Amino acid sequence: MNENIALKAKLLDIYRLLRTRFGYRNWWPGNSPFEIVVGAVLTQNTNWANVEKAIQNLNAADVLEPARLLSLPVDELKRLVRPAGFYNQKAVRLRAVTRWWLDCGILIAPAKADVDALCSDLLKIDGIGFETADCILLYALRLPTFVIDAYTRRAAARIGITAGEMRYEPLKRLFERCLPCDIDLYNDFHAQWVALGKTYCRKKPLCSECPLGGICQFAKSKI
Ligand code: SF4
């Protein structure tokens, strides 16, 4: 219990420092929950600029709506999402996630959502892993689930929150146990970890410029 209280204080301190440096990240970009779902699938293994081109194609074809997207012939969908790379797999994945989206019924009764069950259903879709599933649940459906990524795992280990890089689910559960169950906090904190990983806590870290230098074990060990 005491360990959780100390970790909660540390995590909130990290969030405060990151937010002061990077500002509110305003995630996830998208004009509708369904567009966020599409972005979460297309962003796998590519950068966001490529995702934007694919989303522009889908928008221009007027299929950024679940039923219209599903009515598209799969070859046409592949052509539209081609800029995002791996377009054969992503078109098939997108259709499967869209069918899940139409079937899940969560849009009608979000308060009754069973987050873990929804996550399990998403994980059954070929090519959908924890990170994509949690991004859909948090950013498109606004459900309380903390998204972890490689940046978070690396930075958490260097800072000293974990002993070595922890696997996805244990780290997510640790954060959820220690942080207040606050969707807006989960939303922005994940975005802050990504900003940290891209800007400072890279493979070769820039500790002298990082806002977490004063509380990070790795940085202190280098002094
Ligand atoms: S101080 Fe260095 S190791 Fe620690 S989080 Fe920042 S960049 Fe990463």
Side-chain angles (χ1 to χ4, degrees), residues 158-159 200-201 205-207 210 212-213 216 218-219:
R158 285 175 172 169
I159 293 164
Y200 303 112
C201 204
L206 303 172
C207 302
C210 177
L212 305 185
C216 174
F218 180 90

Side-chain angles (χ1 to χ4, degrees), residues 26 39 50 54 56 66 79 81 102 143 161 182 191 193 198 214-215:
N26 199 24
N50 292 333
Q56 277 168 15
R79 188 184 70 76
V81 302
L102 286 174
L143 294 173
I161 292 170
D182 177 334
W193 283 114
K198 285 186 171 173
I215 60 168

Side-chain angles (χ1 to χ4, degrees), residues 94-207:
L94 207 45
R95 285 168 62 86
V97 172
T98 302
R99 276 192 289 272
W100 168 86
W101 178 258
L102 286 174
D103 289 347
C104 78
I106 177 70
L107 299 171
I108 299 162
K112 294 184 181 166
D114 180 336
V115 181
D116 287 342
L118 289 167
C119 186
S120 296
D121 286 345
L122 276 167
L123 292 174
K124 287 176 193 154
I125 298 172
D126 192 34
I128 300 299
F130 276 110
E131 188 181 338
T132 305
D134 279 336
C135 282
I136 290 170
L137 296 173
L138 176 63
Y139 291 105
L141 287 172
R142 285 191 55 77
L143 294 173
T145 187
F146 203 98
V147 181
I148 300 294
D149 69 348
Y151 293 126
T152 314
R153 294 168 63 229
R154 180 167 68 194
R158 285 175 172 169
I159 293 164
I161 292 170
T162 59
E165 290 192 22
M166 218 181 225
R167 285 183 298 111
Y168 188 101
E169 232 193 330
L171 187 56
K172 163 198 165 77
R173 298 295 179 202
L174 181 68
F175 281 8
E176 289 176 355
R177 270 200 311 278
C178 294
L179 289 169
C181 184
D182 177 334
I183 291 167
D184 291 328
L185 174 66
Y186 285 10
N187 175 323
D188 194 49
F189 205 166
H190 170 60
Q192 299 289 346
W193 283 114
V194 174
L196 172 70
K198 285 186 171 173
T199 312
Y200 303 112
C201 204
R202 304 172 183 172
K203 198 168 178 187
K204 190 173 174 194
L206 303 172
C207 302

Side-chain angles (χ1 to χ4, degrees), residues 11-74:
L11 285 171
L12 290 175
D13 204 23
I14 289 168
Y15 177 65
R16 181 184 57 77
L17 290 164
L18 293 176
R19 182 155 171 167
T20 300
R21 176 64 57 92
F22 295 117
Y24 179 63
R25 306 304 293 160
N26 199 24
W27 273 27
W28 180 298
N31 292 318
S32 69
F34 183 63
E35 188 175 319
I36 292 171
V37 172
V38 171
V41 173
L42 295 182
T43 199
Q44 294 176 325
N45 303 308
T46 193
N47 63 50
W48 189 253
N50 292 333
V51 175
E52 282 182 327
K53 288 178 198 157
I55 286 181
Q56 277 168 15
N57 287 346
L58 295 167
N59 215 1
D62 198 20
V63 292
L64 271 177
E65 191 276 328
R68 286 203 292 277
L69 188 137
L70 277 183
S71 71
L72 261 189
V74 71

